[in-house]
């Protein structure tokens, strides 16, 4: 399987609206697994945006072609997948101290490298740290 096919598969897998609901009861979806899926989804998202930029490096969007518009829609779809994954991560029920540490590290890393969309929303960041504080 080539990288592009793998990324598409990751996006499709991450697009499942309720990742945890589809898990078999014997298969507990961990926070680390959700974070891994987020990473794959974000990498696919970045690749889609890079492709869009290649189609119009100026970013002015003068007379967009059908190909450009289709790519722009793929970018929005990929962004939605990443945002859904973030929502799943933040909805995850923190049950152990390890979960709290994992989420705290991940949020701190994403705020540092901006490889997420939640950092744009100050209220979301506040809510995340409130959740962590209540659980710890």
């Amino acid at each position: 399987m080539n990288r592009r096919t793998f990324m598409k598969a990751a996006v499709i897998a991450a697009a499942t609206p309720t990742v945890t609901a589809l898990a078999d009861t014997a298969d507990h979806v961990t926070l680390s697994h959700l974070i891994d899926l987020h990473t794959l989804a974000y990498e696919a998202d970045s690749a889609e945006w890079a492709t869009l930029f290649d189609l119009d490096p100026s970013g002015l969007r003068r007379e967009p072609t059908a190909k450009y518009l289709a790519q722009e829609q793929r970018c929005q779809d990929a962004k939605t997948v990443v945002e859904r994954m973030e929502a799943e991560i933040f909805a995850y029920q923190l049950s152990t101290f390890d979960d709290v540490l994992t989420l705290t590290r991940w949020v701190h890393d994403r705020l540092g490298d901006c490889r997420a969309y939640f950092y744009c929303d100050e209220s979301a960041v506040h809510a995340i740290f409130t959740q962590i504080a209540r659980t710890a």
Side-chain angles (χ1 to χ4, degrees):
M1 178 183 307
N2 66 30
R3 180 175 168 76
R4 184 166 173 81
T5 304
F6 176 77
M7 292 305 216
K8 284 182 180 180
V11 169
I12 291 167
T16 306
T18 53
V19 174
T20 54
L22 296 177
D24 186 20
T25 52
D27 272 346
H28 178 67
V29 176
T30 64
L31 180 59
S32 295
H33 182 69
L34 291 174
I35 289 171
D36 290 342
L37 286 174
H38 177 273
T39 301
L40 292 173
Y42 191 85
E43 288 172 358
D45 174 70
S46 295
E48 293 295 348
W49 287 101
T51 302
L52 183 68
F53 181 75
D54 290 344
L55 293 174
D56 182 14
S58 71
L60 297 176
R61 205 171 177 241
R62 290 186 221 149
E63 300 178 29
T65 64
K67 185 176 181 179
Y68 180 89
L69 294 173
Q71 182 62 34
E72 187 175 48
Q73 184 58 50
R74 281 193 294 277
C75 290
Q76 292 304 320
D77 293 344
K79 179 180 178 185
T80 300
V81 169
V82 173
E83 290 170 335
R84 284 182 182 171
M85 287 308 306
E86 290 171 5
E88 287 290 332
I89 289 168
F90 300 135
Y92 187 84
Q93 196 70 318
L94 302 174
S95 57
T96 67
F97 189 65
D98 187 50
D99 287 344
V100 173
L101 290 176
T102 299
L103 183 61
T104 304
R105 277 190 219 112
W106 181 78
V107 169
H108 181 266
D109 291 345
R110 295 304 68 86
L111 290 173
D113 63 17
C114 300
R115 292 180 53 85
Y117 286 108
F118 71 87
Y119 73 90
C120 299
D121 182 3
E122 188 176 323
S123 64
V125 174
H126 180 73
I128 294 160
F129 283 111
T130 300
Q131 174 191 4
I132 290 169
R134 266 188 265 154
T135 307

